[in-house]
């Protein structure tokens, strides 16, 4: 199916017809929570036949990665068509067919810096949900200084030998591959001598250890590399210039997190979601209504700002340091939405076995938004120095 050449209205009608046939009714419940997301990968266990069918149907026509080029299996949609796609998913209350770090972060980096062989090898598997990736950036003792990479990759002639440790590697225990920053030149300045490399998690010498969170879940892990052999062709871009890729990828990660503040509501008005959660009677509380309206106004402002920067990026100007502002606001909005949901649900919302299901777990999980993708303190530092021009 070729949608790329269709005008907006023709595309919308064509897409509606396709969704009517290919999006299962069971996937039209508006749930895009931690428990309902489809992450894909070799180790993924589908929660239902409908989840599997929805992912496969979307992948077949490239709609798991609507903006990626058709040459690698994406849908090749324009920016305007992509907006229509999201509108139509919201209209029928559909879940996203597939979400992954491969889609949000590695894919854009490969499209910008990868070799043609790397694109052909990895992108189609990400699009089809066959390969799950995790990110290997942070290291113990480095704090917010991502460039303080101590994991080393020694040149052994036909391969690199990697030793070191990463931390806060989300879902590393479930991932098939990891994209990581490694130091390939220990004598170079801190931001030089770093390379961006792809490592198979089944390689001998790779091990993971989950970190238990306040929610009881273990989304984050420690990842260890003990004499791990990695082929040289797994380096993305130029050796020792991985920091440029790291910065590019971080921009996409922050944009992704800022855009995910709608995940809880799937594009529906917050008031409608609160009414569904707690009942319309609870919404008679004036303070709750005021808080919901304030949150919605902030969400609209962030959404419009995000669209403006996406247009800017489309024109080639990039997002740059504004990604820190978008990430910070997206984080605060997501946490604010969960606080409101918990307030609306009252004491019953705490009960994980009650009518509110996983809401309490997702609320606790939202606290990690202030850490992942760069802490809120780091984001505020970037905003103050690089956007507002305040002294550092």
């Amino acid at each position: 199916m070729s949608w790329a050449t269709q005008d907006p209205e023709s595309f919308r009608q064509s897409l509606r017809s396709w969704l009517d046939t290919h999006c299962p009714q069971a996937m039209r419940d508006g749930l895009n929570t931690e428990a309902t997301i489809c992450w894909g990968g070799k180790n993924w266990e589908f929660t239902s036949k409908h989840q599997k069918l929805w992912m496969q149907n979307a992948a077949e026509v490239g709609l798991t990665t609507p903006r990626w080029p058709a040459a690698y299996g994406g849908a090749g949609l324009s920016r305007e068509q992509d907006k229509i796609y999201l509108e139509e998913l919201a209209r029928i209350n559909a879940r996203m067919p597939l979400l992954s770090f491969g889609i949000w972060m590695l894919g854009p980096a490969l499209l910008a810096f990868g070799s043609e062989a790397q694109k052909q090898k990895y992108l189609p598997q990400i699009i089809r949900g066959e390969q799950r990736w995790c990110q290997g950036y942070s290291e113990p003792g480095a704090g917010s200084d991502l460039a303080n990479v101590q994991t080393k990759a020694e040149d052994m002639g036909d391969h690199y030998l990697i030793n070191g440790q990463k931390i806060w590697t989300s879902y590393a225990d479930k991932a098939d591959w990891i994209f990581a920053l490694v130091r390939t030149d220990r004598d170079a300045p801190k931001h030089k001598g770093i390379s961006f490399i792809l490592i198979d998690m089944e390689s001998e010498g790779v091990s993971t250890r989950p970190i238990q969170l306040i929610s009881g879940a273990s989304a984050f892990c420690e990842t260890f590399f003990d004499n791990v052999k990695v082929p040289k062709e797994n380096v993305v871009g130029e050796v020792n210039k991985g920091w440029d890729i790291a910065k590019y990828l971080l921009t996409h990660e922050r944009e992704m997190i800022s855009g995910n503040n709608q995940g809880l509501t799937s594009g529906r008005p917050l008031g409608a979601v609160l009414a569904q959660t707690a009942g319309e009677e609870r919404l008679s509380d004036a303070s709750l209504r005021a808080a919901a309206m304030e949150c919605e106004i902030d969400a609209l402002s962030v959404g419009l700002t995000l669209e403006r920067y996406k247009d800017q990026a489309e024109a080639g100007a990039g997002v740059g340091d504004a990604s820190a502002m978008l990430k910070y606001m997206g984080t605060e909005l997501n946490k604010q939405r969960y606080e409101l949901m918990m307030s609306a649900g009252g004491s019953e919302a705490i009960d994980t076995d009650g009518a509110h299901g996983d809401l309490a777990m997702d609320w606790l999980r939202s606290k990690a938004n202030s850490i992942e993708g760069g802490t809120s303190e780091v984001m505020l530092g970037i905003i103050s120095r690089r956007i507002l021009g305040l002294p550092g």
Side-chain angles (χ1 to χ4, degrees):
M1 180 179 295
S2 177
W3 283 317
T5 57
Q6 293 183 348
D7 63 76
E9 188 52 36
S10 297
F11 170 68
R12 188 185 294 277
Q13 296 306 318
S14 176
L15 179 63
R16 284 187 177 184
S17 176
W18 185 88
L19 288 170
D20 286 344
T21 305
H22 294 90
C23 181
Q25 286 294 330
M27 295 292 101
R28 304 185 188 193
D29 54 11
L31 295 177
N32 284 306
T33 65
E34 191 80 9
T36 60
I37 288 174
C38 176
W39 291 103
K42 287 189 293 187
N43 301 317
W44 180 251
E45 294 182 7
F46 290 96
T47 57
S48 71
K49 64 180 181 181
H50 306 292
Q51 186 186 54
K52 182 177 183 180
L53 181 63
W54 177 216
M55 187 199 77
Q56 291 177 333
N57 285 344
E60 187 176 349
V61 293
L63 286 178
T64 51
T65 54
R67 295 299 313 279
W68 289 15
Y72 305 112
L77 300 187
S78 66
R79 177 106 161 75
E80 186 171 9
Q81 288 174 320
D82 187 33
K83 290 180 183 176
I84 292 172
Y85 171 55
L86 294 177
E87 289 170 1
E88 290 303 311
L89 287 183
R91 181 183 62 82
I92 62 172
N93 217 16
R95 300 185 193 183
M96 294 301 292
L98 176 69
L99 296 174
S100 76
F101 295 157
I103 293 174
W104 292 326
M105 293 183 272
L106 178 65
L110 282 179
L111 286 168
F113 296 95
S115 66
E116 185 58 30
Q118 289 170 337
K119 294 174 187 176
Q120 293 287 353
K121 179 177 179 179
Y122 298 112
L123 295 181
Q125 294 184 72
I126 294 171
I127 291 167
R128 295 193 297 265
E130 297 170 350
Q131 197 174 69
R132 186 172 180 178
W133 289 80
C134 63
Q135 181 189 54
Y137 271 25
S138 299
E139 296 193 358
S144 59
D145 186 3
L146 284 181
N148 190 22
V149 174
Q150 299 300 312
T151 297
K152 62 180 181 180
E154 295 179 78
D155 189 338
M156 305 302 287
D158 62 342
H159 67 274
Y160 286 106
L161 193 66
I162 298 182
N163 283 280
Q165 180 188 350
K166 299 291 180 179
I167 195 167
W168 309 121
T169 43
S170 302
Y171 307 109
D173 55 335
K174 299 177 177 62
D176 305 307
W177 284 73
I178 183 171
F179 49 91
L181 298 177
V182 294
R183 188 157 295 283
T184 39
D185 185 349
R186 302 188 69 80
D187 297 323
K190 188 169 66 173
H191 291 83
K192 310 289 183 184
I194 295 173
S195 297
F196 187 99
I197 198 166
L198 312 178
I199 305 171
D200 188 339
M201 293 295 281
E202 292 185 347
S203 303
E204 185 177 353
V206 178
S207 60
T208 63
R209 186 164 61 199
I211 301 170
Q212 191 154 344
L213 305 181
I214 188 175
S215 64
S218 298
F220 299 137
C221 293
E222 295 175 283
T223 302
F224 304 89
F225 304 97
D226 183 13
N227 290 324
V228 179
K229 293 182 179 179
V230 179
K232 284 191 164 180
E233 61 262 29
N234 287 18
V235 171
V236 178
E238 294 185 48
V239 175
N240 295 331
K241 292 187 177 180
W243 186 244
D244 293 337
I245 303 175
K247 289 189 294 182
Y248 179 86
L249 190 147
L250 280 173
T251 299
H252 277 273
E253 182 182 20
R254 290 167 185 167
E255 280 183 53
M256 176 272 293
I257 293 173
S258 68
N260 269 2
N261 70 74
Q262 294 279 354
L264 179 61
T265 60
S266 298
R268 293 174 292 163
L270 181 57
V273 179
L274 288 171
Q276 182 181 3
T277 301
E280 293 187 8
E281 185 178 342
R282 181 75 179 87
L283 285 184
S284 62
D285 184 303
S287 61
L288 183 62
R289 294 173 71 91
M293 284 192 290
E294 182 179 353
C295 188
E296 281 293 78
I297 292 169
D298 286 347
L300 285 170
S301 300
V302 173
L304 288 171
T305 304
L306 181 61
E307 290 300 315
R308 179 160 56 85
Y309 278 107
K310 284 183 176 179
D311 287 339
Q312 183 175 306
E314 188 83 359
V319 176
D321 294 331
S323 64
M325 180 178 65
L326 296 169
K327 194 272 178 181
Y328 178 78
M329 283 305 302
T331 291
E332 293 304 308
L333 274 172
N334 198 43
K335 291 193 300 183
Q336 192 176 348
R337 284 173 184 272
Y338 275 108
E339 294 290 345
L340 279 170
M341 296 286 283
M342 293 298 291
S343 296
S347 58
E348 292 180 2
I350 296 291
D351 184 0
T352 57
D353 295 324
H356 297 287
D358 295 321
L359 177 60
M361 293 296 101
D362 291 337
W363 165 63
L364 291 171
R365 173 65 180 82
S366 70
K367 308 297 182 185
N369 294 161
S370 300
I371 300 175
E372 56 202 354
T375 66
S376 289
E377 288 76 12
V378 170
M379 297 302 107
L380 290 172
I382 293 172
I383 293 167
S384 66
R385 292 192 304 275
R386 301 180 190 171
I387 297 178
L388 300 178
L390 298 173

